[in-house]
Amino acid sequence: MNEGSKLIAELSDSYQEHFRQQKVILSFGHFLEIVKNSPSRYIRNAASYTADAFKHFGTRPSDPEDPQSPIRFKVFDLGTEKNGPIIGGEFVQQELRNILSSFERTGFSSKLILLHGPNGSAKTSTVETIARAMQVYSTCDEGAVYKFNWIFPADKSAGPIRRGEPGPIGFAKELDDPNRAGGSYALLDEAKVASKIASEFKENPIFLIPEQQRLEWLKKWIAEEKDCHPEEVNIPPHMMLPGLSKRNQEIFENLLNAYSGNLVEVFRHVQVERFFYSRQYHVGISTVEPQMSIDAREKQLTLDKNISNLPSVLNTINFYLSEGELIEANRGLLEFSDLLKRPAEAFKYLLSTIEKSAINLPSGTANLDIVFIGTTNEKHLDAFKTTPDFGSFKGRFELITVPYLLRPSEEVKIYKSDIEALKKTIKIAPHSLRFLCTWAVMTRFKQPEPEFYERVHRALISKLDPRSKAKLYDKENLHPLFNNGEQKTFNHLRTKIMSESRGMVVYEGRFGASPREVRAILHKAAQNTKYKTLTPMAIFNELRELAKDRTVYEFLQFEPRGKYHNIPEFINTLESEFIALFQNECVAAMDLVETGEYENLVKRYIENVVAEIKKEKIWDTATNSHVPPSKAIMEEVEKIIDIKIAPAKHRENLLSRIASYKIDNPDLPTDVMIIFDDIMQKLKDHFFKEKRQSLTPSIDPCFLSRKKTMPLASAKYNKHKKHLTT
């Protein structure tokens, strides 16, 4: 045996074992055994299955450092085959899970979940991620799902029996054939199979059991599973339906008549097959594109080999093949991509389809078990609301708003793969992506409505500008624009501010730069030959080019309202911030003070303040003894930070800030660097100001070869701008 043959043999052996462990092909008797052991698992409808997929992957806090942060479903950390995880969107995910839970309780997917939001807000990616989760879950033991086929052997040596006569009906005489498990044809060798009729609806094999016996068994099995009395068991409503498609029902009835009501003989022809969800191959998951055609259809089968080889007792059946997206998605998920791009006449059938969980076909009515999810943008939804048809549809829609992200730290994560790709061809300066994402988020903000808040907070809310709002959403320091008391108030109101417009027609995150536009700007800046490195200044240059033509992007057409919707001013604000940041980082990079000195000074200052107020001493490591608090240290620091009140009162306020932090964060350690970050910043600013007056360094922001000197303390904004654009 050559090397290639050995590899094939090894692969075959391992896959056969995998095939056996996954129980891909079963007899009907074997299937009933596994249902009896875990009945709740194998009688789930599509909504219950999808909800269990959410449960299977679990949850986590969206912000590990904030116990109050929204819960995140790990399903959305999976990502899709092409895209990474869904960034943010925890409220959208929670709404989806709640709707699925309501479907689970009622037993039917009675509404279409419609995700609506601006273009590029991850609506389609959200659906793709759910589909991906179902696909992965179906490969697990607890996610196993089954359908069935009809198997008819090739041995026709015995003629068909007459009604009421015992024996085979032209399928095989040897009922103890070793190729069949327990007399079943399910595992019959393919060479001995004359016909195999698969069910395109993928019905649950449990529906082959007559309804009365099915309900009795399920009550008994579920009672044993849950350790309760059978009378206490509530059978899911979908299990009380007939369940089989017309073709399968006719095959079942004809076989039952031929075998004189002997179900054992009928079930020998049932092959139970496990299937795995797949969006790519349209197995239990399908997508309807915005097209003008019905999504289910039939065609009659006449020349099919499997039909021509059927026994004569089934010759009276007219075989139809059902196909289309609705059929492919049965027992799973169906996405209507850009649903409202289609004329209303093209999807009016959904009204009855969703309400009855059934579709009318030429040969009869087919029951459906599908979670319906649609996507649309806000323009099409607004237009649809004005039509007479909306009144009919609104009761069949569950609307979920999917806005743009509103936190720069989350927006940055979207472009991680883009940055990794760009790094292969161009150097990327620090902060470039962060400033771009901050600008994008600022374009999405709404001006706060002071009337929404208590009177005592209205004046403060009216001062909240777009840049400060971005910092607040990202839990950053709002100094120097707001003092410590105002910062604390904003932290207290943060959740309310973020949810102020939620549920409104014009909500925050409905407009602004989309991730697609941000990605385009990023790549254009990287391709600009004027810059050898991708810098924030290259980003600002591209943003100014974009802002020139207001006819291209809708968010550029908004009239400024206060400091909001002022796109050119956003660029200037961020550019000034970058210049100040660059100056500070350059001085810090010169190692003029050791890393951690500021932190040590703040800690020493607070330690002395606490000891002085409590009339205690502090431990001096130099003398290995307790010494009184140092007034010199306290006075020098207080001179630098320029306190405006009496020192004693100022120091008492510092102690109150520590107490307030412990009350608000009982589970977190006391971190003076977080509590007194404003003091840290003032110390840094003081140091930088002193050093700028004595230094005239040669600076290049992108670490290029070009040399040019500029006094940091005296250079004006325009000179910095000219220097930094290189």
Side-chain angles (χ1 to χ4, degrees), residues 607 616-621 623-629:
E607 182 183 30
E616 298 174 347
K617 293 184 178 182
I618 60 176
W619 179 257
D620 184 6
T621 56
T623 61
N624 287 329
S625 63
H626 287 92
V627 298

Side-chain angles (χ1 to χ4, degrees), residues 41 149 155 162 168 188 266 321 330 342 509 631 684:
R41 179 185 297 179
N149 310 306
D155 187 352
R162 290 188 295 273
L188 193 65
V266 174
L321 175 65
N330 196 42
R342 311 165 91 187
K631 291 187 177 181
K684 284 185 176 181

Side-chain angles (χ1 to χ4, degrees), residues 15 18-26 49 81 131-147 202 272-286 328-333:
Y15 198 77
H18 175 72
F19 188 86
R20 184 188 64 80
Q21 290 180 353
Q22 286 197 317
K23 300 181 177 68
V24 177
I25 300 296
L26 303 174
Y49 188 90
E81 293 86 346
R132 170 71 172 163
M134 294 175 67
Q135 181 174 327
V136 174
Y137 183 50
S138 67
T139 64
C140 306
D141 288 343
E142 61 268 34
V145 279
Y146 291 91
K147 60 180 182 177
K202 301 179 292 297
V272 178
E273 179 182 353
R274 182 175 179 179
F275 68 91
F276 303 91
Y277 290 100
S278 172
R279 185 172 183 270
Q280 180 178 359
Y281 301 116
H282 293 192
V283 180
I285 299 169
S286 192
E328 295 167 348
N330 196 42
R331 295 192 69 193
L333 178 73

Side-chain angles (χ1 to χ4, degrees), residues 593-609 618 621 633-634 637 671-674 676 679-681 683-684:
V593 65
E594 292 184 10
T595 303
E597 282 300 310
Y598 299 114
E599 184 175 343
N600 291 335
L601 180 56
V602 173
K603 287 181 177 179
R604 286 173 58 200
Y605 170 64
I606 298 301
E607 182 183 30
N608 279 274
V609 167
I618 60 176
T621 56
I633 290 177
M634 291 187 286
V637 170
D671 190 337
V672 296
M673 304 318 299
I674 294 177
F676 303 107
I679 295 178
M680 164 80 89
Q681 190 59 49
L683 291 174
K684 284 185 176 181

Side-chain angles (χ1 to χ4, degrees), residues 520-706:
I521 292 168
L522 180 65
H523 285 272
K524 282 184 179 179
Q527 295 166 7
N528 192 331
T529 56
K530 181 181 177 182
Y531 301 91
K532 296 180 181 179
T533 301
L534 178 57
T535 69
M537 299 308 293
I539 296 293
F540 298 144
N541 181 74
E542 291 300 329
L543 292 178
R544 286 195 169 90
E545 289 296 319
L546 175 139
K548 287 180 180 179
D549 189 354
R550 298 180 61 186
T551 64
V552 177
Y553 301 106
E554 185 180 18
F555 69 92
L556 296 177
Q557 300 167 18
F558 295 147
E559 291 299 324
R561 185 181 178 190
K563 293 185 178 181
Y564 289 79
H565 311 306
N566 194 334
I567 308 303
E569 185 57 33
F570 294 167
I571 303 171
N572 292 336
T573 298
L574 294 173
E575 191 174 55
S576 299
E577 184 178 323
F578 166 64
I579 290 172
L581 175 65
F582 176 71
Q583 290 179 356
N584 293 342
E585 289 187 348
C586 282
V587 175
M590 295 176 187
D591 290 331
L592 297 175
V593 65
E594 292 184 10
T595 303
E597 282 300 310
Y598 299 114
E599 184 175 343
N600 291 335
L601 180 56
V602 173
K603 287 181 177 179
R604 286 173 58 200
Y605 170 64
I606 298 301
E607 182 183 30
N608 279 274
V609 167
V610 172
E612 196 261 346
I613 293 176
K614 293 184 175 181
K615 309 299 182 183
E616 298 174 347
K617 293 184 178 182
I618 60 176
W619 179 257
D620 184 6
T621 56
T623 61
N624 287 329
S625 63
H626 287 92
V627 298
S630 172
K631 291 187 177 181
I633 290 177
M634 291 187 286
E635 289 173 355
E636 184 170 352
V637 170
E638 288 163 359
K639 180 180 178 181
I640 292 173
I641 64 178
D642 191 24
I643 63 174
K644 304 296 184 184
I645 58 177
K649 183 64 175 176
H650 168 75
R651 294 166 191 172
E652 289 177 1
N653 290 343
L654 297 182
L655 205 62
S656 298
R657 286 171 65 178
I658 296 175
S660 297
Y661 179 83
K662 289 300 296 179
I663 292 173
D664 294 337
N665 305 277
D667 300 326
L668 298 179
T670 303
D671 190 337
V672 296
M673 304 318 299
I674 294 177
I675 303 172
F676 303 107
D677 55 343
D678 56 324
I679 295 178
M680 164 80 89
Q681 190 59 49
K682 287 181 179 180
L683 291 174
K684 284 185 176 181
D685 292 343
H686 172 78
F687 175 78
F688 288 144
K689 184 177 180 180
E690 286 188 340
K691 293 304 177 183
R692 287 170 187 162
Q693 295 173 355
S694 60
L695 295 175
T696 307
S698 176
I699 303 173
D700 184 77
C702 307
F703 307 99
L704 304 177
S705 59
R706 175 179 175 273

